[in-house]
Amino acid sequence: MTRVVLAGALLLALLTGCGSDTSADQTVVVYAAASLRSPFTDIGKQFEDANPGASVEFSFAGSSDLVTQLTQGARADVFASADVTNMGKAAEAGLLESAPVNFASNTLTIAVAPGNPKAIASLRDLTRPDIAVVVCAPQVPCGAATRRVEQAAGVELSPVSEESSVTDVLNKVTSGQADAGLVYVTDAIDAKDKVTAVAFPEARSAVNTYPIAVLEQSESPELATRFVDAVTGELGQRVLAAAGFKTP
C-alpha cells in the first residue's frame, strides 16, 4: 500500500510539472525606445492576457540612453531600438542572445501648436528667427534622422534645445515652450489634438527602422522570445499599424 501511495504521488507530481505554465509568476523586462510607449503598452497588456501569470515591465527612453544603461549592467530581457545603429552597439557589447528582428519603421514630421498659428509649411520655415524649434540630440535616433533631413533639405536648424528623447521634444511643443519640434509621425498621431502635424518631403530621406532582440542576460529567455514573437507577429503588427508605424 505504501508503494502504491508513493507511486501515485510521484505520478501526480510529474503530471503537474509537465502541465505547468512556464510563464507563471515570470516577468519580462523590456527596454524600448520612447516612441514605442503607446503601442508597446497595448501589446504588453494583450501579451499578459494571453500568458496567465506572466507580467511585462517597460522602461521607455531614448535608444542611446537605454544602450548605455544596459552596458552599465542594467537588467532586462528584451531591447527594442528606434534604429539599427543603437541595436548594433548592443550587439558589439555582447548583449544580444539572438539576432535582432526588424519589426517597424518610422519617419519624422513637424509638430506645431494646434491650428499651426505660426503658419509653418516646410522644414526651411523652422529657420525663421521667430520660430523656437526643438529637436532630439544627435546621439538619439530621432536626432540622427533630423541631421539627415537637414542635409536633404539643405538647411541648418538652430534649435533652442536638444532633447534626449522624442517624447521630450513633443512635450516642449505641447507645453508651449517651443513653436515647433521634429518628432516621429507616430508621436504626432498619439498626441491627437494637442498638436498639428506638418509633413515635409525630405522626411522620406530619413526612414528609421526599428529592431528588437532578446538579451543575453535574460532570466526568462523563453518568455522574452514569446514577447518578441508577439511584437513581430500578427498581434504586434496590427497594434503598430494602428499607431501609424510602417513595415520595416
Side-chain angles (χ1 to χ4, degrees):
M1 179 64 71
T2 300
R3 286 197 296 270
V4 171
V5 172
L6 290 174
L10 178 59
L11 178 60
L12 178 61
L14 288 172
L15 290 174
T16 303
C18 291
S20 62
D21 186 348
T22 57
S23 68
D25 300 321
Q26 289 189 24
T27 298
V28 57
V29 179
V30 179
Y31 272 36
S35 53
L36 293 168
R37 180 183 294 273
S38 181
F40 264 37
T41 299
D42 189 359
I43 292 171
K45 291 177 181 176
Q46 295 190 51
F47 182 81
E48 290 175 344
D49 291 341
N51 295 272
S55 60
V56 185
E57 292 183 2
F58 292 106
S59 179
F60 296 105
S63 297
S64 59
D65 287 343
L66 294 175
V67 171
T68 298
Q69 292 173 34
L70 290 170
T71 55
Q72 292 179 347
R75 194 195 75 77
D77 300 290
V78 175
F79 174 45
S81 174
D83 67 351
V84 296
T85 299
N86 281 288
M87 182 62 77
K89 292 179 181 178
E92 291 173 3
L95 297 176
L96 307 186
E97 189 274 334
S98 59
V101 180
N102 296 333
F103 66 93
S105 65
N106 215 344
T107 54
L108 295 177
T109 191
I110 303 170
V112 299
N116 195 5
K118 295 283 188 175
I120 295 170
S122 67
L123 193 65
R124 187 169 296 278
D125 282 344
L126 300 185
T127 64
R128 285 164 29 194
D130 64 318
I131 302 296
V133 62
V134 180
V135 301
C136 289
Q139 68 272 18
V140 183
C142 58
T146 296
R147 300 301 175 270
R148 296 201 298 274
V149 298
E150 284 182 274
Q151 293 172 356
V155 302
E156 184 174 350
L157 302 180
S158 299
V160 294
S161 71
E162 295 182 337
E163 305 298 323
S164 61
S165 75
V166 68
T167 52
D168 291 335
V169 173
L170 188 66
N171 288 338
K172 290 282 188 178
V173 177
T174 58
S175 65
Q177 298 178 65
D179 299 311
L182 282 171
V183 303
Y184 292 121
V185 168
T186 54
D187 292 286
I189 291 173
D190 190 50
K192 298 182 175 63
D193 59 357
K194 293 181 180 179
V195 299
T196 290
V198 179
F200 58 98
E202 295 85 2
R204 292 192 295 269
S205 65
V207 178
N208 275 24
T209 298
Y210 287 56
I212 187 170
V214 175
L215 295 172
E216 176 68 30
Q217 59 167 314
S218 174
E219 296 179 1
S220 304
E222 181 181 341
L223 192 63
T225 299
R226 272 194 257 170
F227 181 81
V228 171
D229 290 343
V231 170
T232 59
E234 182 181 353
L235 162 65
Q237 293 303 296
R238 184 173 65 250
V239 173
L240 288 161
F245 287 89
K246 303 299 182 181
T247 54

